[in-house]
Amino acid sequence: MDRARSATHAGTWYTNNPNKLGEELDGWLREAGLTKSPDVRGVIAPHAGYSYSGRSAAYAFGNIDPTNISRVFLLGPSHHHYTPKCALSKAIAYKTPLGDLPIDLEVNEELKTTGKFEVMDWRVDEAEHSMEMHLPYLAKVFHGYPVKIVPILVGALSPESEAMYGQLLAKYVDDPKNFFSVSSDFCHWGSRFRYTHFDKKYGAIYKSIEALDRMGMDIIETVDPNAFKEYLSAYDNTICGRHPISVFLYMLKNCEAKIKINFLWYEQSSKCETMRDSSVSYASAAATVDG
């Protein structure tokens, strides 16, 4: 039975009122004030509720020139379902309050035939928020353009699997009609996240968190998956999209195109001053053709 994935987080994580949602996104995009560029081939953007990270995400999606793009690959981490693989959707479209985004069934099938991908069941697909939180922005930016999506849920991959999927997907980077939307928040800090790394030389806790995040962002900008792996191993920063980011870095390393990554925005949900506080960091980046 052909079926579309429902916008399961609309009405809670973001408004399900199309007019209100459209106005909110327009406001954040205006505030970001970015120039759309056809050289932007991908983004790294957060996936929290829009009251937390909607503004930050505009600094990723505001870069997109939709004119020549016909397909968006979504790479999102799995928050509730354990798998050591990547997984595809069995839906024919993903619904959003701003219109449905059809899945590219041909590419989906092409990936399935490699034998390397699982297929998500409906419960897993609709429970996951990491890709859904990118969809309203994509629906807004691509309004009026015939774009299709390829959602890929990225499981708890080994370094070898990250490299394998990166090689397998690299050829899609070389087609300029393809775009990549990589979903990740940055540091989840506080006892409720079981992560309280604090380097006192920075003074306040929130400054230590920012220094740690920026170290990771700088490494991601070098497009070196091994350096990113070493950073995660040394600090164990709670970057929930570590696996999608790593796969994307391997894709960029293995493709013919020369792509650079630049972070354009960083913020924290709150400023941690004491060990009782908690925060989540949000960062937005654009992946751009280099030269």
Side-chain angles (χ1 to χ4, degrees), residues 16-114:
N16 55 5
N17 177 320
N19 293 336
K20 193 173 171 214
L21 180 59
E23 282 168 19
E24 269 182 2
L25 300 183
D26 278 334
W28 285 320
L29 288 165
R30 254 196 321 275
E31 192 185 318
L34 299 170
T35 306
K36 295 178 176 189
S37 166
D39 291 336
V40 174
R41 298 290 314 287
V43 293
I44 298 170
H47 55 235
Y50 280 1
S51 61
Y52 295 103
S53 70
R55 176 177 68 163
S56 179
Y59 285 85
F61 296 107
N63 293 282
I64 303 171
D65 180 345
T67 319
N68 299 314
I69 297 164
S70 56
R71 189 182 296 113
V72 177
F73 287 79
L74 290 147
L75 298 173
S78 179
H79 286 85
H80 311 293
H81 170 69
Y82 173 77
T83 173
K85 294 183 171 184
C86 286
L88 303 167
S89 178
K90 57 170 84 163
I92 57 160
Y94 272 21
K95 291 182 177 178
T96 91
L98 301 179
D100 298 355
L101 292 164
I103 286 178
D104 192 320
L105 301 175
E106 203 177 310
V107 172
N108 220 34
E109 204 49 49
E110 198 176 284
L111 293 175
K112 227 180 276 180
T113 57
T114 64

Side-chain angles (χ1 to χ4, degrees), residues 189-193 269-272 274 276-280:
W189 195 94
S191 55
R192 74 191 183 100
F193 298 117
S269 59
S270 60
K271 289 188 168 180
C272 292
T274 77
R276 290 188 306 278
D277 295 337
S278 67
S279 72
V280 180

Side-chain angles (χ1 to χ4, degrees), residues 10-289:
T12 49
W13 291 51
Y14 56 99
T15 179
N16 55 5
N17 177 320
N19 293 336
K20 193 173 171 214
L21 180 59
E23 282 168 19
E24 269 182 2
L25 300 183
D26 278 334
W28 285 320
L29 288 165
R30 254 196 321 275
E31 192 185 318
L34 299 170
T35 306
K36 295 178 176 189
S37 166
D39 291 336
V40 174
R41 298 290 314 287
V43 293
I44 298 170
H47 55 235
Y50 280 1
S51 61
Y52 295 103
S53 70
R55 176 177 68 163
S56 179
Y59 285 85
F61 296 107
N63 293 282
I64 303 171
D65 180 345
T67 319
N68 299 314
I69 297 164
S70 56
R71 189 182 296 113
V72 177
F73 287 79
L74 290 147
L75 298 173
S78 179
H79 286 85
H80 311 293
H81 170 69
Y82 173 77
T83 173
K85 294 183 171 184
C86 286
L88 303 167
S89 178
K90 57 170 84 163
I92 57 160
Y94 272 21
K95 291 182 177 178
T96 91
L98 301 179
D100 298 355
L101 292 164
I103 286 178
D104 192 320
L105 301 175
E106 203 177 310
V107 172
N108 220 34
E109 204 49 49
E110 198 176 284
L111 293 175
K112 227 180 276 180
T113 57
T114 64
K116 303 291 186 189
F117 292 83
E118 291 179 354
V119 177
M120 287 180 269
D121 67 32
W122 284 104
R123 187 184 50 79
V124 169
D125 201 346
E126 294 195 328
E128 183 52 61
H129 64 272
S130 68
M131 293 185 281
E132 180 180 339
M133 298 310 292
H134 283 200
L135 300 177
Y137 263 114
L138 292 170
K140 164 62 73 179
V141 170
F142 285 96
H143 180 71
Y145 293 89
V147 74
K148 292 183 176 181
I149 60 170
V150 183
I152 300 174
L153 184 76
V154 181
L157 306 184
S158 67
E160 295 72 27
S161 291
E162 289 172 348
M164 179 272 289
Y165 284 110
Q167 283 171 328
L168 191 148
L169 295 165
K171 69 171 186 177
Y172 296 104
V173 183
D174 288 321
D175 181 348
K177 291 193 182 71
N178 291 332
F179 189 87
F180 303 88
S181 197
V182 181
S183 182
S184 185
D185 295 336
F186 274 69
C187 185
H188 297 60
W189 195 94
S191 55
R192 74 191 183 100
F193 298 117
R194 297 192 292 281
Y195 188 76
T196 51
H197 171 90
F198 177 28
D199 188 336
K200 291 184 173 59
K201 78 167 180 243
Y202 293 104
I205 294 171
Y206 69 88
K207 288 183 176 169
S208 165
I209 296 169
E210 178 164 358
L212 179 68
D213 279 331
R214 289 203 182 271
M215 192 193 308
M217 290 154 67
D218 289 347
I219 287 166
I220 292 167
E221 287 185 343
T222 67
V223 194
D224 181 344
N226 290 319
F228 186 51
K229 187 165 56 193
E230 282 162 19
Y231 160 79
L232 291 171
S233 160
Y235 297 97
D236 203 27
N237 192 1
T238 43
I239 299 172
C240 55
R242 57 173 66 193
H243 297 298
I245 291 171
S246 295
V247 169
F248 189 52
L249 294 178
Y250 277 113
M251 286 162 65
L252 299 187
K253 191 179 166 189
N254 285 287
C255 67
E256 298 291 324
K258 290 282 166 278
I259 310 275
K260 62 182 179 183
I261 297 175
N262 290 105
F263 277 91
L264 303 166
W265 187 259
Y266 175 82
E267 65 181 277
Q268 296 168 354
S269 59
S270 60
K271 289 188 168 180
C272 292
E273 309 264 7
T274 77
M275 297 306 279
R276 290 188 306 278
D277 295 337
S278 67
S279 72
V280 180
S281 307
Y282 310 117
S284 291
T288 312
V289 175

